Structures are given as C-alpha cells and as structure tokens.
Amino acid sequence: MLRRHKTLAHLSRFRRRQEGSVSIEAAFYLPLLLFIVAIVITLFDAFRQETVNIKAAYTISDLISRETSELNDDYVDSMYSLAQLLTRTDSDMSMRMSVVKWDGDDARYYVDWSVERGPSFDIWTDATISEVEDDLPNMPDQERVILVELWNEVTPFARIGFEVFDIYNFVFTRPRFAGQVAFEGMHTSDGSTHDDGFDDDA
C-alpha cells in the first residue's frame, strides 16, 4: 500500500513539472515541421509552374491572333521554342495549335487546321474535335477561334507522396485582324483559301 502511494505521488509530481529539454522537444517536432514545409514548397512550386504555363499559352495564342499571313512549319517551331523558353521547364513539353470553326447549319465545330509539337498530342480533326466541344466557346456561324494547348510534366520538389504533376493548359483567342489565320498549304473546311488582303507578288 505504501509503495502504491509513493508511485502515485511520483506520477503526480511528474505531471506538475514544467521544465523540459529543448533538444528533446525539437527531436519530436522537427521532422513533422520539415514535412509540412516540404509539402507547402512542393504545392507552391506546382501552382507556380501551372501559372507560368497558362501565361505562356496565352502569349502564344495572342501572337498567332495578330498574324495576317499564312503560318508555316518554321513559325510553329519558333512558337514551340518560345513556349519552352517561357515556361523554363526541363521536362518534355508538348504543344498543339489549331484553328476551329463553328458551323451553325450543322451545329458542330470543324477544324481548319491543326499542328502539334512534342510527344503527347495528336492533331485535332473534324471527327475528334467533339471531344472538347464543351470547353470551346459559343460562337456565331462561321466564326473561328485559335486554340493553343500546352502539356508538360513537373517533377515534385520533394517526393513525399506526390507523383509527377501533369500540367495541361487549354486557351483560345479570336483572330484580331482577319477572319481566320491560315496555315501554309492547308485549306479551310469550307474549301476556300486564306486571303489576308496583301499582294504577295507586289
């Protein structure tokens, strides 16, 4: 009985004691604190990269929207290089540029032309563009938009349960100075060719 009383007294004194060791408490809490910091940095870096990517997509879309001459493969290559420069990412990037038209009579979208760079995209066709019709804007009959898509993988800052982030951006812009932006050697879906109002032989 006396031993039990002493034990209870020791436990009571231990409960009331407020002194401690900083090093021991740090050993308990530091790993958790570092884990939380790593999560915050990883998520911040992923959101930052997504913001950079979407700004790059809008920049490229805006540049294309100002063109009045036919685009060609060299132009697409330069836009692809620009996207890689703007995003400053070490991972493989894919880009797809397209011009999409709304046909009011058929009540569906058609693809004037579509080109891609990188390993992850196939070009859009009249048959496949319906896959993203819910993401395309409502447009008047025969109206066109320039569609730019970027995709790349981002490796997490810290591998603490996160897989590789897939960042995909989908933006569209209306042509600014012409009814459409044409691609060299390609015809629009209604069979006409691009006329920018300039005489190339002049």
Side-chain angles (χ1 to χ4, degrees):
M1 188 70 179
L2 182 60
R3 179 175 297 177
R4 181 181 177 185
H5 179 72
K6 289 183 177 179
T7 302
L8 291 176
H10 283 304
L11 290 175
S12 179
R13 286 196 299 271
F14 178 77
R15 183 175 61 84
R16 292 195 299 268
R17 290 175 60 185
Q18 297 182 357
E19 66 269 18
S21 173
V22 174
S23 59
I24 294 176
E25 292 178 1
F28 281 124
Y29 289 107
L30 188 59
L32 177 61
L33 182 61
L34 292 176
F35 182 75
I36 293 174
V37 170
I39 290 178
V40 171
I41 293 176
T42 300
L43 293 177
F44 174 82
D45 185 64
F47 284 120
R48 180 197 61 80
Q49 188 62 54
E50 184 174 13
T51 301
V52 170
N53 280 26
I54 198 167
K55 288 181 179 180
Y58 273 116
T59 298
I60 292 169
S61 181
D62 183 67
L63 289 172
I64 298 171
S65 73
R66 300 171 186 272
E67 296 295 335
T68 57
S69 300
E70 290 183 337
L71 309 187
N72 54 32
D73 286 326
D74 290 338
Y75 185 92
V76 176
D77 289 339
S78 67
M79 290 296 101
Y80 183 54
S81 298
L82 177 62
Q84 292 174 311
L85 178 64
L86 291 174
T87 57
R88 298 182 181 180
T89 179
D90 296 330
S91 62
D92 290 333
M93 168 172 283
S94 296
M95 180 184 74
R96 179 164 52 197
M97 298 162 40
S98 313
V99 171
V100 179
K101 179 186 74 173
W102 170 256
D103 190 294
D105 293 335
D106 295 341
R108 58 163 295 178
Y109 295 96
Y110 287 98
V111 178
D112 281 351
W113 57 265
S114 182
V115 293
E116 51 78 27
R117 295 292 186 272
S120 301
F121 285 137
D122 295 321
I123 62 172
W124 287 123
T125 65
D126 291 341
T128 60
I129 193 62
S130 59
E131 296 175 10
V132 292
E133 63 180 7
D134 291 339
D135 297 320
L136 292 170
N138 295 323
M139 298 187 291
D141 187 31
Q142 303 303 310
E143 186 77 8
R144 290 172 169 86
V145 292
I146 301 157
L147 176 61
V148 175
E149 299 162 90
L150 295 180
W151 179 92
N152 71 302
E153 293 181 341
V154 174
T155 302
F157 172 80
R159 291 187 175 273
I160 46 177
F162 294 106
E163 300 295 333
V164 174
F165 295 110
D166 292 331
I167 297 181
Y168 170 70
N169 301 108
F170 180 103
V171 303
F172 48 81
T173 308
R174 186 180 182 277
R176 294 177 182 270
F177 304 124
Q180 61 172 303
V181 177
F183 195 84
E184 186 178 64
M186 292 186 177
H187 293 267
T188 62
S189 57
D190 58 7
S192 62
T193 56
H194 178 65
D195 182 8
D196 57 19
F198 293 96
D199 185 0
D200 293 334
D201 297 330

